Amino acid sequence: MANISMATSKHPLPFSMGKGFEIPSIPLVLIKIIQTVDEDTSSARELEALILHDPALSARILRLANSAFYSFRANVKTISHAIALLGLNLVTSLAIGINIFDSFTKGAKSEAALINKLWTHSCGVAVLVKEIWTQRGHAGKDGEFAFLCGLLHDLGKVVLFKTYPSHYSSIFAIAKSETDPAISSYEEENYGVDHAAIGEMLAKQWGFPAELASVIRKHHDPLALEMPMVSAVMLADFVAKGLKIGYDGDDGLYEDLTALQPKLEVSDEEFEQLKEFAARERQNIESFFKISS
Ligand SMILES: [Fe+2]
Ligand SMILES: [Fe+2]
């Protein structure tokens, strides 16, 4: 096992569900945006009004709409135009992702570089889950929901960074080899709970759609592979790690994919195509991250 001597004393447990744990607060505007995810009736106008309340978020959405990542010919100057081009659901997902990472990283200094890597990883997994989902025949609103699942699968890690900045940074930064346990084991050992459980708890507390909360909870659980979205997120997670698109604290685990592949029911062909797609998209994903951060 890698050296985790700094991580041997168990930390007081704010996450012991229900025992005085304070749920980190998120901006009201974000809660309102999340609530629109579940509503079939949510309108572009409603989302536009919410985004316009946040000038920094508005600026990023515009930069993204004008970026090479989407290569629209038009010069996008308004949020309503961006929503029309990018789609209601993608803009919703981006607003949620950007806002969450923002509110948790405010004031973070030494751990900022690690959190940025996690954000790149999350953007990479988001793009890949959406691709898997689309390739498997689901498009449109479903594809955008897949994107959101990828973007937020490691939500619990952002919370751990916020709660234990330097301690969690050292656990996250440990160079793990294939034989080391996953970061979830380090989290359980030190905080009594792992990022998947923390993420689910927050997702529920904040009123995320129930399916999103359960994907966050189960994204490392091999027994949950019969849930198609869980298996898509797991596959995307492994491919992103393998190509080192960002970093999520679990570098050594790529070798496990060979064992996981049959369980994921991914054909060699699909797997190869996905790796090629990820390699092609890597630059876009990385610049996407820079634009949205
Ligand atoms: Fe994870
Ligand atoms: Fe991950």
Side-chain angles (χ1 to χ4, degrees):
M1 188 190 280
N3 176 18
I4 50 157
S5 53
M6 79 294 153
T8 44
S9 67
K10 208 164 186 172
H11 274 237
L13 198 56
F15 298 115
S16 56
M17 321 289 175
K19 264 195 186 169
F21 167 54
E22 278 180 43
I23 305 282
S25 63
I26 48 171
L28 190 64
V29 59
L30 182 55
I31 293 178
K32 289 190 175 155
I33 293 176
I34 290 165
Q35 284 163 353
T36 69
V37 173
D38 249 357
E39 292 168 12
D40 284 339
T41 52
S42 68
S43 69
R45 191 160 288 181
E46 205 179 324
L47 179 65
E48 182 193 3
L50 289 169
I51 290 175
L52 285 173
H53 268 94
D54 184 338
L57 182 62
S58 303
R60 282 180 208 180
I61 301 279
L62 286 180
R63 270 164 65 202
L64 196 66
N66 282 298
S67 72
F69 189 74
Y70 287 105
S71 57
F72 298 125
R73 293 218 186 98
N75 187 4
V76 186
K77 290 189 186 135
T78 62
I79 294 299
S80 60
H81 193 190
I83 295 173
L85 287 171
L86 295 168
L88 186 61
N89 297 301
L90 179 61
V91 174
T92 306
S93 299
L94 288 171
I96 294 171
I98 291 170
N99 222 313
I100 285 181
F101 271 79
D102 254 19
S103 29
F104 280 93
T105 51
K106 237 169 234 154
K109 287 185 196 114
S110 53
E111 65 277 15
L114 295 175
I115 298 174
N116 282 346
K117 286 183 185 172
L118 179 62
W119 183 219
T120 312
H121 166 81
S122 305
C123 292
V125 173
V127 170
L128 290 171
V129 184
K130 188 182 169 201
E131 171 68 9
I132 296 167
W133 212 238
T134 310
Q135 290 300 329
R136 292 182 175 179
H138 318 269
K141 193 167 179 172
D142 269 5
E144 303 306 350
F145 181 69
F147 184 94
L148 186 60
C149 287
L151 200 62
L152 297 183
H153 74 287
D154 275 336
L155 172 66
K157 290 178 184 169
V158 191
V159 181
L160 285 167
F161 268 120
K162 178 80 176 173
T163 314
Y164 307 113
S166 60
H167 190 267
Y168 190 62
S169 292
S170 28
I171 288 179
F172 189 86
I174 293 168
K176 298 160 192 83
S177 76
E178 293 144 41
T179 50
D180 282 325
I183 192 165
S184 302
S185 314
Y186 294 87
E187 292 162 353
E188 265 166 23
E189 185 187 335
N190 287 277
Y191 314 120
V193 65
D194 72 355
H195 67 272
I198 295 169
E200 182 202 32
M201 185 175 61
L202 261 75
K204 283 186 170 166
Q205 191 74 27
W206 291 342
F208 284 11
E211 189 186 353
L212 176 57
S214 86
V215 170
I216 292 174
R217 174 62 185 241
K218 293 173 176 162
H219 76 275
H220 290 294
D221 180 358
L223 296 176
L225 281 172
E226 75 280 3
M227 274 178 72
M229 189 65 83
V230 170
S231 112
V233 169
M234 270 193 202
L235 179 57
D237 203 11
F238 274 91
V239 172
K241 286 177 216 272
L243 271 81
K244 299 203 188 310
I245 297 173
Y247 174 63
D248 76 343
D250 258 342
D251 234 8
L253 295 182
Y254 190 56
E255 297 301 313
D256 281 0
L257 185 60
T258 345
L260 196 71
Q261 194 181 335
K263 289 188 209 147
L264 286 170
E265 289 180 4
V266 51
S267 66
D268 286 346
E269 195 193 355
E270 186 187 4
F271 185 45
E272 284 312 312
Q273 277 174 359
L274 195 62
K275 281 197 289 188
E276 279 165 26
F277 171 84
R280 274 201 313 275
E281 291 295 309
R282 165 196 289 280
Q283 250 195 332
N284 277 338
I285 293 167
E286 283 165 358
S287 56
F288 173 88
F289 154 73
K290 282 192 195 111
I291 293 159
S292 58
S293 67

